[in-house]
Amino acid sequence: MTSATLLTPARTSRPGGDRPGATTRAAERAYIRVLVVLDTAVLAVAILAGYLARFGDEQPTGSEIPYVVVAPVLLLVWLVSLKAMRCYDDQVLGYGADEYRRVSSASLRLAGGIAIAGYIADVGVSRGFLAISFAVGTIGLEVARFAARKRLHRARDRGAGWSRKVLVVGDTAHVLELVHTLRREPYAGYQVVGACIPDALLAPVPQRLGDVPVVGSFRGIPEAATAIGADTVAVTASGELTATRLRRLGWQLEGTGVDLVVAPALTDVAGPRIHTRPVAGLPLIHVEAPEFRGARKLVKGFVDRSLSLIALLLLSPLLGVLALAIKLDSRGPVLFRQTRVGQGGEEFGVFKFRTMVVNADALLAELAARNETDGLMFKMRDDPRVTRTGRLLRRWSLDELPQLANVLLGHMSLVGPRPPLPSEVARYDGDVARRLLVKPGMTGLWQVSGRSDLSWEDGIRLDLYYVENWSLAADLTILWKTFGAVLGSRGAY
């Protein structure tokens, strides 16, 4: 049996006949065909762009290379390279960064291989043509994959699109936890259709765990998966599922077309911190400690301050216009300075454009009963304290631009947890206080995941995930997604 962590299924095959979840497999194949068509179109445009940029609309002079033959051969070899790097493997499609890494790796390896082969064989293919084609093609492939994925995610959020049908196996508490985790991110493509629980917990009448039907016990997992059309069995923690029983389950699923995934009890830990090492036949999961200092932190600080300085210089005309609009709209200062808590519990003054009337804090007590969020924050969609200009600034998150000064001064980072109020920190428990191990950010996972639409619990979970698993690459991804969240005005009020 080949075991795998959650979201990395161990594939089995079935010689002949339909596999369980045939509809899902058909939708999966249709999505892959769309990707192949997209990739082909992108590569054709990239190769044409490389030719036109290098030679224009004239025939290359002084060359015996027939580019009318080279172009289609390059396109075909590029597609073969994508296939060889498993860029169409359903294990990486639609979720995670591995799909993008494989696409880039396939393109870069092919470019390197062609460069070496051309040098050895002394073939005079234009290096400018190849360089432009590969640059445009690699970027185009990534953009096309991103667009296809976003469309798939929207379909999955609506309950449509290609998703795996999952049978969850384990103790009731762990089953409910895994179901909650998978449903929290429906765009990941795991749709729970049933559960199997220990024999001792099985009742003579039909049971449900929440709204998930219990379809069997540990004795008949393969049969239960076939009965409900599941194409994936996700095994979570249970005292009765020993290593021997789990190995036998893998044998039983061989040839059935049902994938087996193992969901470890470890959650909210990013992939780069996890390393699986076989020891005495056991796939032991090693988890690296979070990194809160060191060279990467120094680089992050340098990048933060450099980008904030550039942004302040470029946005200075806009900042002046916004300041004038605030001054003309209502009496009071242009900037609002509020005490927040930063790294290590150190307090600092965060800068924002004023979006409320000057006596907003005094009016808060009267509005406390109309709080629309749980937890320690106060949020209200139609807050009467917000000015007309303030509503516009909040809609497009323009009120937070002065925080670039806080980043430049070293109080904040461009990406990090939401900066909390001292009154919130005073009520933190031990777990939530871990948010203070890093600098707060102008944006973060909380902002690109819904902002004010998130519950307090989900906001804290995202902040803690960032604290434990931050990276420079993740910061760049969050900054990119922030533009989409701002333009879409998701959760902004």
Side-chain angles (χ1 to χ4, degrees):
M1 180 193 73
T2 303
S3 64
T5 56
L6 185 63
L7 303 180
T8 311
R11 302 301 307 273
T12 57
S13 60
R14 184 183 188 183
D18 293 332
R19 299 176 62 189
T23 303
T24 301
R25 299 302 181 190
E28 170 192 324
R29 290 191 294 269
Y31 180 74
I32 293 175
R33 285 195 295 269
V34 169
L35 289 183
V36 173
V37 172
L38 275 176
D39 291 347
T40 303
V42 166
L43 296 182
V45 171
I47 294 171
L48 178 61
Y51 181 88
L52 293 177
R54 176 61 181 85
F55 303 110
D57 56 357
E58 299 178 357
Q59 290 290 335
T61 58
S63 174
E64 298 179 356
I65 302 298
Y67 284 91
V68 70
V69 176
V70 169
V73 170
L74 176 59
L75 190 152
L76 180 61
V77 173
W78 206 334
L79 288 174
V80 171
S81 179
L82 292 173
K83 176 66 175 177
M85 287 296 296
R86 300 175 64 190
C87 296
Y88 302 104
D89 192 333
D90 66 346
Q91 295 183 27
V92 301
L93 295 180
Y95 190 80
D98 202 28
E99 177 182 0
Y100 301 120
R101 284 195 293 265
R102 292 191 186 188
V103 169
S104 296
S105 179
S107 301
L108 295 177
R109 289 188 182 190
L110 178 61
I114 290 178
I116 295 173
Y119 177 78
I120 294 175
D122 195 20
V123 178
V125 178
S126 169
R127 285 173 292 183
F129 161 72
L130 291 175
I132 296 171
S133 296
F134 275 105
V136 175
T138 302
I139 296 173
L141 287 173
E142 300 285 10
V143 172
R145 291 296 180 107
F146 178 79
R149 177 178 291 193
K150 287 302 177 184
R151 183 175 181 181
L152 176 64
H153 287 177
R154 287 193 293 270
R156 284 174 171 174
D157 285 338
R158 298 192 306 267
W162 155 51
S163 296
R164 297 175 178 86
K165 297 186 182 300
V166 183
L167 172 67
V168 181
V169 179
D171 291 338
T172 54
H174 292 100
V175 166
L176 288 171
E177 183 177 359
L178 181 56
V179 169
H180 173 70
T181 300
L182 295 179
R183 288 183 173 175
R184 192 169 57 205
E185 298 181 353
Y187 57 84
Y190 283 80
Q191 178 185 356
V192 179
V193 294
C196 285
I197 58 177
D199 303 67
L201 301 177
L202 206 61
V205 296
Q207 294 174 262
R208 302 183 76 86
L209 298 178
D211 58 351
V212 178
V214 175
V215 295
S217 69
F218 290 174
R219 296 180 183 275
I221 295 173
E223 294 78 10
T226 301
I228 62 175
D231 52 41
T232 302
V233 172
V235 178
T236 185
S238 173
E240 294 190 24
L241 276 175
T242 62
T244 300
R245 295 191 70 171
L246 187 58
R247 184 169 62 252
R248 287 174 180 169
L249 174 61
W251 295 340
Q252 292 171 345
L253 293 178
E254 286 181 1
T256 65
V258 178
D259 298 336
L260 175 65
V261 299
V262 180
L266 188 67
T267 60
D268 285 339
V269 179
R273 289 179 55 209
I274 298 176
H275 304 279
T276 304
R277 302 172 187 170
V279 178
L282 296 175
L284 298 183
I285 299 177
H286 292 249
V287 183
E288 295 182 356
E291 186 173 345
F292 300 119
R293 58 179 60 87
R296 287 201 310 148
K297 274 291 185 181
L298 293 176
V299 173
K300 177 180 171 69
F302 174 77
V303 171
D304 282 338
R305 296 195 178 195
S306 300
L307 292 181
S308 63
L309 177 59
I310 294 173
L312 282 171
L313 293 175
L314 294 177
L315 296 174
S316 55
L318 174 62
L319 296 176
V321 171
L322 295 178
L324 180 61
I326 295 169
K327 198 66 178 177
L328 295 176
D329 181 52
S330 62
R331 67 180 183 88
V334 170
L335 291 177
F336 173 70
R337 190 172 184 270
Q338 188 178 43
T339 300
R340 296 293 178 106
V341 181
Q343 186 177 20
E346 184 178 347
E347 295 185 355
F348 68 98
V350 67
F351 298 110
K352 299 181 69 174
F353 279 129
R354 183 176 57 84
T355 60
M356 291 186 174
V357 295
V358 290
N359 61 335
D361 289 338
L363 299 174
L364 179 59
E366 302 175 12
L367 301 172
R370 300 168 63 182
N371 189 8
E372 297 178 8
T373 186
D374 54 356
L376 306 180
M377 294 186 297
F378 177 87
K379 287 292 182 179
M380 184 176 173
R381 287 185 181 275
D382 297 317
D383 195 325
R385 301 173 299 165
V386 180
T387 63
R388 291 174 300 175
T389 303
R391 294 189 187 281
L392 177 64
L393 296 179
R394 288 188 170 204
R395 176 177 175 83
W396 303 106
S397 298
L398 297 174
D399 58 316
E400 299 176 2
L401 289 180
Q403 291 175 25
L404 289 168
N406 288 114
V407 178
L408 186 61
L409 293 172
H411 300 146
M412 296 177 63
S413 174
L414 290 176
V415 180
R418 184 187 63 83
L421 293 165
S423 59
E424 297 174 10
V425 175
R427 289 180 283 175
Y428 278 1
D429 58 23
D431 292 341
V432 181
R434 290 184 64 82
R435 299 171 75 245
L436 305 179
L437 291 174
V438 299
K439 291 181 181 179
M442 287 185 62
T443 185
L445 286 174
W446 54 275
Q447 183 160 6
V448 300
S449 303
R451 290 191 279 185
S452 297
D453 289 339
L454 291 175
S455 67
W456 167 259
E457 179 184 352
D458 284 339
I460 291 298
R461 176 182 60 82
L462 291 173
D463 280 346
L464 292 180
Y465 179 89
Y466 177 83
V467 170
E468 299 283 342
N469 304 288
W470 76 271
S471 69
L472 295 175
D475 282 1
L476 293 176
T477 301
I478 292 171
L479 287 173
W480 170 257
K481 290 184 176 181
T482 298
F483 289 106
V486 170
L487 292 177
S489 301
R490 296 194 298 271
Y493 56 86

